[in-house]
Amino acid sequence: MTTSGARPLDPGQLETYFALMEAVSLLQHHVEQQLRAEGGISYVQFQLLARLADSDRPLTMTQLADGVVYSRSGLTYQAGLLEKAGLITRSTFPDDERATVVTLTEKGAALFERVLPGHIEVSRRLLFEPLSATDVRHLGEVMTRVRDHMRARPPRSAAPRKRRPGTAR
Amino acid sequence: MTTSGARPLDPGQLETYFALMEAVSLLQHHVEQQLRAEGGISYVQFQLLARLADSDRPLTMTQLADGVVYSRSGLTYQAGLLEKAGLITRSTFPDDERATVVTLTEKGAALFERVLPGHIEVSRRLLFEPLSATDVRHLGEVMTRVRDHMRARPPRSAAPRKRRPGTAR
DNA sequence: TATTGTTATACTCTATAACTATA
DNA sequence: TATAGTTATAGAGTATAACAATA
């Protein structure tokens, strides 16, 4: 193995990849700062609040986790923090008592509303300021395609092992 | 206060922003998995090795940190790990004895070479596969512009400005 | 005094595995 | 047996502040 990736990228590709990674790292860092400063929350927590704010009905833990967090316990941890801060509530889902439904409290909704403008302002100042309308449209189109591609194509080599259902471990 | 960012984004902008953030989050996650699985290193550590591999001369800690890590102690921590793993060495810089110069060991260079193909393969499969050559060129051009914009325009509200001891907080 | 880097420390976050309870 | 979620726990990473040494 390890020969699977011997084929080099085109020169421009590597540059593009690094520019993308570095730019987004910087963006993430600034966004984290803004959210922490103005709302005392992390970007992960912001995403969870955003999902709940976006949905007109409560979400189960599993629905909430999707794409935001990569382990169940990670979500339980974050939900615990949000609940302790009074931003969400958790309760058993009557239709399936294994599930937990998560609701945004008024305080949570208010915090989200309070934090959102600054969040948008950061993205405008750091990301959109140097871009034309055409750039933005193209970037959005391209990254949407990439995102959907990734969602549809889960890891191949990244997974340590194909675990069959029910296997130990 | 909090009205600083009341102006809304154009509809497409918010979508673009979230698509970008989610796509790159997924990409980062896969990349971390690959690096951890094949080389036992994190993306931060990969970046540090990459910088050293890219440079024909050793770098000081400060040069190495630039853009990769946001605190001095964070770099010291990472350098400590890399040194303990035998991937780099640190020694005093004769010309300025305050500085530490970092050198890639043969083992470090070998690890980097070993891990790079898989890294490239992940980026190809997840990022580049759904993109045309034009998309890649445009994406690279746009993200380079954004990156340079961010580098040139450090945080406004987020900056841990030089504060004198005893200031608020 | 300012700068380079390290250390001590506290904190946040993540992930694996074992667990409970429902289906 | 499988699924939803929690808990226990361990480990990785980050940041702030105090520090030492050099410029």
Side-chain angles (χ1 to χ4, degrees):
Chain A
M1 348 202 71
T2 74
T3 57
S4 62
R7 184 170 43 129
L9 291 174
D10 301 339
Q13 288 185 325
L14 202 57
E15 228 174 74
T16 295
Y17 167 72
F18 284 124
L20 176 68
M21 292 291 272
E22 185 181 343
V24 173
S25 287
L26 286 165
L27 182 57
Q28 285 172 335
H29 189 251
H30 291 310
V31 157
E32 290 274 355
Q33 303 266 83
Q34 180 265 327
L35 290 173
R36 187 62 66 188
E38 293 184 20
I41 57 174
S42 67
Y43 184 65
V44 166
Q45 291 161 1
F46 171 81
Q47 286 179 93
L48 297 176
L49 296 183
R51 287 209 172 187
L52 292 168
D54 210 40
S55 159
D56 36 359
R57 46 178 60 258
L59 300 174
T60 67
M61 293 291 279
T62 297
Q63 290 168 336
L64 198 51
D66 174 45
V68 175
V69 147
Y70 300 93
S71 70
R72 291 160 113 55
S73 64
L75 179 60
T76 297
Y77 171 75
Q78 292 296 341
L81 294 181
L82 293 175
E83 191 172 47
K84 191 154 54 182
L87 305 176
I88 65 168
T89 58
R90 281 183 287 186
S91 52
T92 312
F93 183 43
D95 287 16
D96 181 345
E97 298 206 341
R98 293 173 303 184
T100 298
V101 290
V102 182
T103 314
L104 197 60
T105 63
E106 285 198 16
K107 187 177 173 187
L111 176 65
F112 179 69
E113 295 299 329
R114 186 156 61 75
V115 150
L116 188 57
H119 190 88
I120 285 173
E121 188 55 29
V122 169
S123 74
R124 187 209 315 285
R125 202 174 65 244
L126 297 179
L127 175 62
F128 294 121
E129 201 168 82
L131 301 185
S132 72
T134 306
D135 291 335
V136 173
R137 192 169 41 70
H138 194 180
L139 179 63
E141 197 276 313
V142 158
M143 293 316 291
T144 299
R145 213 184 318 142
V146 169
R147 183 194 57 193
D148 294 346
H149 173 73
M150 286 183 185
R151 281 178 173 167
R153 179 174 301 248
R156 203 173 55 186
S157 64
R161 216 152 306 280
K162 279 191 177 182
R163 49 181 77 128
R164 291 176 306 187
T167 306
R169 285 195 119 258
Chain B
M1 39 170 55
T2 74
T3 59
S4 62
R7 185 171 42 131
L9 291 174
D10 301 339
Q13 288 185 326
L14 202 57
E15 230 174 72
T16 295
Y17 166 72
F18 283 125
L20 176 67
M21 292 291 272
E22 185 180 343
V24 173
S25 287
L26 286 165
L27 182 56
Q28 287 172 334
H29 190 250
H30 291 310
V31 156
E32 290 273 355
Q33 303 266 82
Q34 180 266 327
L35 290 174
R36 187 62 68 188
E38 293 184 20
I41 58 174
S42 66
Y43 184 64
V44 165
Q45 290 159 5
F46 171 80
Q47 286 179 94
L48 297 176
L49 296 183
R51 287 211 173 184
L52 291 168
D54 210 40
S55 160
D56 37 358
R57 47 180 61 257
L59 300 173
T60 67
M61 293 290 279
T62 297
Q63 291 168 335
L64 198 52
D66 174 48
V68 176
V69 148
Y70 300 94
S71 70
R72 288 160 119 48
S73 63
L75 180 60
T76 297
Y77 172 75
Q78 292 297 342
L81 294 181
L82 293 175
E83 191 172 47
K84 191 154 54 182
L87 305 176
I88 65 167
T89 59
R90 281 182 287 186
S91 52
T92 313
F93 183 43
D95 288 15
D96 181 346
E97 299 207 341
R98 293 172 302 183
T100 298
V101 290
V102 181
T103 314
L104 197 61
T105 63
E106 285 198 16
K107 187 178 174 187
L111 176 64
F112 179 71
E113 295 299 329
R114 186 156 62 75
V115 150
L116 187 58
H119 190 88
I120 285 173
E121 189 56 28
V122 168
S123 73
R124 187 209 314 287
R125 202 173 66 246
L126 297 179
L127 176 63
F128 294 121
E129 202 168 80
L131 301 185
S132 72
T134 306
D135 291 335
V136 173
R137 191 170 41 69
H138 194 180
L139 179 62
E141 198 275 312
V142 158
M143 294 316 292
T144 299
R145 211 182 321 141
V146 170
R147 183 194 58 193
D148 295 345
H149 172 74
M150 286 184 186
R151 281 179 173 166
R153 179 175 300 248
R156 207 172 51 185
S157 59
R161 263 278 145 270
K162 281 189 176 179
R163 293 206 146 75
R164 292 181 307 185
T167 309
R169 228 191 168 203

